[in-house]
Amino acid sequence: MNEKHERIPIFFAIDDGYAPFLSVALASIIQNASREYMYKITVLHQNLSKTNQERLAALGAEHVEIQFVPMENRLEGITDRIGNRLRADFFTLTIFFRLFIPVMFPEYDKAIYLDSDVVVPGDISELYRTELGDHLLAAAADHSVAGVPPFVDYIENGVGVKKDQYINSGVLLMNLKKMRESRLEHRVLELMDTYHFDCIAPDQDYLNVLCNDRIVYLPPFWDAMPAEAAEPIENPKLIHYNLFAKPWCYDHVQYESYFWKYARHSGYMKEIMNCKELYGEKERQSDRECLELMLERAKAIAAAELNFKSVFNSGREKRL
């Protein structure tokens, strides 16, 4: 690997079932990323099989190195250092793992985190070159929920931020140095241990609450999400198939052509097509029920006496 070029760290996290979809994200990054940089892609995983590790690693290129790190090993070390104050099991920590990247990887001062349900038709190095200054992170506002009244109510009255300032945490440019200085992971754990907030999107909500005043807002083309009520973004640089809008589950998903373009180069096309063929009415009904439950929870949390907004507005807690 050529060491003369700056190295850009990129993080993903998956379990074994998500390997086929991560392969599409990797294929798109590798095809479109500038050769002026080297890329160190770290896949944090829970029980990712050796076979899938080998197949995903095979996608690497001269300018892209892919490594695999078991989440259990790193998170155990973190919980030991903080006294394991969380009254929860290991699964709770895996939900919040991206918040721990700063302390898990102290060798980096800046990094990209991406959910695995993305494709990147743009040059990912452009995202990395975004200036952060003293801000903790850069992310795009979550426009996919802006037209859903119960979610807007949840954002403004449950989380306590303006709807146009509520970010989606599936695409993050993280100022790891400033996050370490702010002790982000300690603040998250303290809040969890003290209040046990009910959340719709736990890691996303904690980032929105704690970092709200220290976020660089990215243009929407860095986190284009399918939305039936909105026109598609022209020439998106990154597409995020958020929530249920997965082209490997449904037909006629906005931006689906991008996914299938890179799926053909992923090495997992057979598995992806099989997944779609098996996704039937039972699974779609489950999605509908899940969405209804989310909407009901959103309403309940927004109306609750104890939520992020009530605690932070009272002055009991402060943002970073």
Side-chain angles (χ1 to χ4, degrees):
M1 180 168 288
N2 191 336
E3 296 293 340
K4 293 189 295 183
H5 298 285
E6 181 179 356
R7 185 173 304 218
I8 295 177
I10 302 172
F11 289 89
F12 290 93
I14 62 167
D15 59 20
D16 206 48
Y18 235 78
F21 315 116
L22 173 60
S23 74
V24 181
L26 293 175
S28 67
I29 289 173
I30 292 165
Q31 182 171 328
N32 298 307
S34 168
R35 266 55 172 180
E36 293 298 312
Y37 298 88
M38 308 302 294
Y39 303 87
K40 180 70 170 287
I41 296 178
T42 299
V43 180
L44 301 171
H45 67 87
Q46 186 175 13
N47 301 321
L48 182 63
S49 71
K50 284 292 184 183
T51 298
N52 277 326
Q53 290 185 44
E54 291 170 0
R55 292 177 68 182
L56 292 169
L59 293 170
E62 184 180 0
H63 63 302
V64 179
E65 177 187 355
I66 303 172
Q67 69 169 356
F68 302 89
V69 176
M71 292 164 66
E72 296 92 333
N73 295 352
R74 293 296 184 104
L75 289 173
E76 284 172 2
I78 292 168
T79 54
D80 287 345
R81 290 200 301 274
I82 61 176
N84 200 15
R85 291 192 302 270
L86 265 183
R87 285 175 287 177
D89 59 16
F90 171 73
F91 179 73
T92 302
L93 277 177
T94 67
I95 295 174
F96 288 84
F97 83 92
R98 75 196 72 184
L99 305 183
F100 296 96
I101 289 174
V103 292
M104 291 165 68
F105 296 90
E107 64 268 33
Y108 299 129
D109 286 342
K110 185 180 183 182
I112 293 169
Y113 168 82
L114 300 175
D115 278 352
S116 299
D117 52 355
V118 303
V119 295
V120 189
D123 174 7
I124 197 68
S125 73
E126 293 179 12
L127 174 60
Y128 186 78
R129 295 198 301 270
T130 301
E131 288 294 332
L132 290 174
D134 288 333
H135 293 85
L136 294 171
L137 57 89
D142 193 339
H143 296 293
S144 68
V145 297
V148 184
F151 286 145
V152 173
D153 188 29
Y154 171 78
I155 290 166
E156 297 191 337
N157 296 307
V159 180
V161 301
K162 296 178 181 178
K163 69 176 183 179
D164 59 350
Q165 294 181 353
Y166 181 79
I167 61 162
N168 182 279
S169 65
V171 179
L172 299 173
L173 177 61
M174 306 174 75
N175 190 338
L176 303 182
K177 181 179 180 181
K178 291 298 179 182
M179 286 181 166
R180 284 190 290 270
E181 291 174 0
S182 301
R183 303 177 78 228
L184 171 66
E185 80 287 351
H186 283 269
R187 290 286 283 123
V188 170
L189 290 165
E190 287 168 356
L191 290 171
M192 290 174 65
D193 190 47
T194 302
Y195 301 102
H196 304 283
F197 291 114
D198 194 7
C199 307
I200 297 295
D203 53 343
Q204 182 165 295
D205 291 342
Y206 276 91
L207 281 174
N208 272 284
V209 169
L210 289 172
C211 304
N212 180 251
D213 298 324
R214 299 179 66 184
I215 297 172
V216 174
Y217 288 90
L218 296 171
F221 57 65
W222 276 120
D223 197 352
M225 289 176 276
E228 292 181 3
E231 289 295 316
I233 293 170
E234 189 174 351
N235 299 319
K237 294 179 183 289
L238 187 149
I239 299 157
H240 182 192
Y241 301 102
N242 193 33
L243 293 175
F244 307 109
K246 315 291 191 194
W248 56 91
C249 299
Y250 292 93
D251 292 325
H252 311 301
V253 172
Q254 212 170 47
Y255 308 113
E256 65 180 0
S257 63
Y258 290 91
F259 177 82
W260 294 114
K261 173 184 176 180
Y262 297 107
R264 296 185 185 96
H265 304 284
S266 69
Y268 279 86
M269 189 65 170
K270 181 179 178 180
E271 289 89 340
I272 293 169
M273 291 303 299
N274 186 55
C275 177
K276 185 161 188 179
E277 289 171 7
L278 293 175
Y279 209 85
E281 181 54 32
K282 178 181 177 181
E283 288 74 22
R284 295 184 181 95
Q285 178 61 30
S286 177
D287 286 348
R288 290 190 289 269
E289 292 172 358
C290 184
L291 178 59
E292 286 300 317
L293 285 173
M294 287 176 64
L295 292 170
E296 290 302 317
R297 283 187 62 211
K299 295 175 187 176
I301 294 169
E305 290 186 11
L306 178 68
N307 57 30
F308 285 116
K309 183 177 181 178
S310 67
V311 168
F312 279 79
N313 280 6
S314 72
R316 282 181 281 173
E317 301 290 348
K318 297 185 182 300
R319 305 186 196 278
L320 294 175

